[in-house]
Amino acid sequence: MPEGQTDPRVGFYPGTFDPVTFGHLDIIDRASALFDRLLVGVAVNEGKHPLLTLEERLEMMRQEVSKLPHANRIEVLGFDTLLVDAVRKAGAGTVVRGLRSGGDFDFESQLSGALRRLAPEIETVFLLSSEGHRTTASRIVKEIARLNGDISSFVSEDVASLVLSKLGRRAT
């Protein structure tokens, strides 16, 4: 497909994924069953002061999605542009966003409205987080890890090891 053309059967799930959690993977798994292709866009997002480098987050995401049932439909890529530009460049026609709570909906509806004004050809769909993941946020996972808490119920063993090593700790 020529650059700039969008395909509604291609989804784009953006995020910082610092780190990727079971909640993110749940959304990716479910979205990959809905689209012919799902692009997971890992954002640079220096404004969030990520713990992990972009390269670490990309590698971590590729490793984690390779374990999912529809892994052959999922591609992981990094981006450091406006979301709309990354979506267009990738040829996706749909942005996928996960919602945990009403607060997420308020923010995401504003983001969706801005995206619609910038790119009316791109649709946004929301997937409600599975019940067990509604309280999971990367920021909370990092805080638990920083304070020597157990993050194993939020992230895989490999992700936990990476996060703990970045914090100068070892997995127990």
Side-chain angles (χ1 to χ4, degrees), residues 80-91:
D80 64 355
T81 62
L82 277 174
L83 174 58
V84 67
D85 294 334
V87 173
R88 281 183 174 145
K89 183 177 180 182

Side-chain angles (χ1 to χ4, degrees), residues 5-26:
Q5 281 192 329
T6 61
D7 183 344
R9 297 166 303 183
V10 178
F12 192 102
Y13 179 50
T16 307
F17 307 112
D18 183 47
V20 60
T21 68
F22 290 138
H24 294 129
L25 294 171
D26 174 61

Side-chain angles (χ1 to χ4, degrees), residues 10 19 21 24 46 90 94 105 139 162 164:
V10 178
T21 68
H24 294 129
E46 291 301 329
T94 307
F105 180 77
R139 147 183 70 73
L162 178 59
L164 294 175

Side-chain angles (χ1 to χ4, degrees), residues 6 84 88 93 112-124:
T6 61
V84 67
R88 281 183 174 145
S112 173
L115 181 63
R116 179 59 106 187
R117 289 180 73 179
L118 293 170
E121 75 279 12
I122 297 171
E123 191 59 68
T124 300

Side-chain angles (χ1 to χ4, degrees), residues 59-132:
E59 178 58 33
M60 176 181 53
M61 182 62 79
R62 288 183 180 116
Q63 181 179 335
E64 294 300 310
V65 300
S66 72
K67 303 170 191 172
L68 297 176
H70 301 290
N72 61 324
R73 296 184 193 179
I74 303 168
E75 180 182 341
V76 177
L77 51 93
F79 72 101
D80 64 355
T81 62
L82 277 174
L83 174 58
V84 67
D85 294 334
V87 173
R88 281 183 174 145
K89 183 177 180 182
T94 307
V95 172
V96 176
R97 299 298 290 172
L99 298 176
R100 292 172 298 204
S101 66
D104 281 355
F105 180 77
D106 291 342
F107 172 78
E108 294 295 344
S109 63
Q110 290 176 346
L111 182 64
S112 173
L115 181 63
R116 179 59 106 187
R117 289 180 73 179
L118 293 170
E121 75 279 12
I122 297 171
E123 191 59 68
T124 300
V125 298
F126 300 113
L127 292 178
L128 186 60
S129 293
S130 296
E131 194 170 321

Side-chain angles (χ1 to χ4, degrees), residues 145-162:
R146 279 188 184 101
L147 297 172
N148 297 317
D150 179 9
I151 60 173
S152 64
S153 65
F154 302 101
V155 298
S156 73
E157 283 183 38
D158 292 330
V159 172
S161 291
L162 178 59

